[in-house]
PDB file of all heavy atoms in Angstrom:
ATOM      1  N   GLU F  16     237.670  91.016  26.005  1.00 98.00           N
ATOM      2  CA  GLU F  16     238.389  90.338  24.926  1.00 98.00           C
ATOM      3  C   GLU F  16     239.176  89.210  25.582  1.00 98.00           C
ATOM      4  O   GLU F  16     240.063  89.471  26.384  1.00 98.00           O
ATOM      5  CB  GLU F  16     239.353  91.311  24.242  1.00 98.00           C
ATOM      6  CG  GLU F  16     238.636  92.449  23.515  1.00 98.00           C
ATOM      7  CD  GLU F  16     239.591  93.585  23.165  1.00 98.00           C
ATOM      8  OE1 GLU F  16     239.782  94.479  23.998  1.00 98.00           O
ATOM      9  OE2 GLU F  16     240.140  93.561  22.054  1.00 98.00           O
ATOM     10  N   ASN F 202     237.396  96.058  28.728  1.00 98.00           N
ATOM     11  CA  ASN F 202     237.097  97.426  28.314  1.00 98.00           C
ATOM     12  C   ASN F 202     235.997  97.948  29.211  1.00 98.00           C
ATOM     13  O   ASN F 202     234.953  97.313  29.351  1.00 98.00           O
ATOM     14  CB  ASN F 202     236.626  97.442  26.855  1.00 98.00           C
ATOM     15  CG  ASN F 202     237.737  96.978  25.919  1.00 98.00           C
ATOM     16  OD1 ASN F 202     238.503  97.774  25.413  1.00 98.00           O
ATOM     17  ND2 ASN F 202     237.832  95.670  25.728  1.00 98.00           N
ATOM     18  N   ARG F 216     235.971 104.697  26.967  1.00 97.00           N
ATOM     19  CA  ARG F 216     236.413 103.488  27.673  1.00 97.00           C
ATOM     20  C   ARG F 216     237.917 103.464  27.903  1.00 97.00           C
ATOM     21  O   ARG F 216     238.683 104.084  27.166  1.00 97.00           O
ATOM     22  CB  ARG F 216     236.011 102.261  26.868  1.00 97.00           C
ATOM     23  CG  ARG F 216     236.832 102.091  25.619  1.00 97.00           C
ATOM     24  CD  ARG F 216     236.412 100.864  24.853  1.00 97.00           C
ATOM     25  NE  ARG F 216     236.590 101.058  23.432  1.00 97.00           N
ATOM     26  CZ  ARG F 216     237.362 100.265  22.684  1.00 97.00           C
ATOM     27  NH1 ARG F 216     237.994  99.255  23.208  1.00 97.00           N
ATOM     28  NH2 ARG F 216     237.482 100.496  21.391  1.00 97.00           N
ATOM     29  N   GLU F 218     241.000 100.392  28.589  1.00 96.00           N
ATOM     30  CA  GLU F 218     241.202  98.960  28.405  1.00 96.00           C
ATOM     31  C   GLU F 218     242.168  98.467  29.476  1.00 96.00           C
ATOM     32  O   GLU F 218     243.263  99.012  29.621  1.00 96.00           O
ATOM     33  CB  GLU F 218     241.764  98.700  27.002  1.00 96.00           C
ATOM     34  CG  GLU F 218     241.902  97.226  26.694  1.00 96.00           C
ATOM     35  CD  GLU F 218     242.204  96.961  25.221  1.00 96.00           C
ATOM     36  OE1 GLU F 218     242.056  97.887  24.399  1.00 96.00           O
ATOM     37  OE2 GLU F 218     242.588  95.824  24.908  1.00 96.00           O
TER      38      GLU F 218
HETATM   39 MG1   MG H 502     241.140  95.804  22.437  1.00 69.74          MG
END
Side-chain angles (χ1 to χ4, degrees):
E16 295 165 272
N202 296 268
R216 72 180 148 122
E218 184 169 347

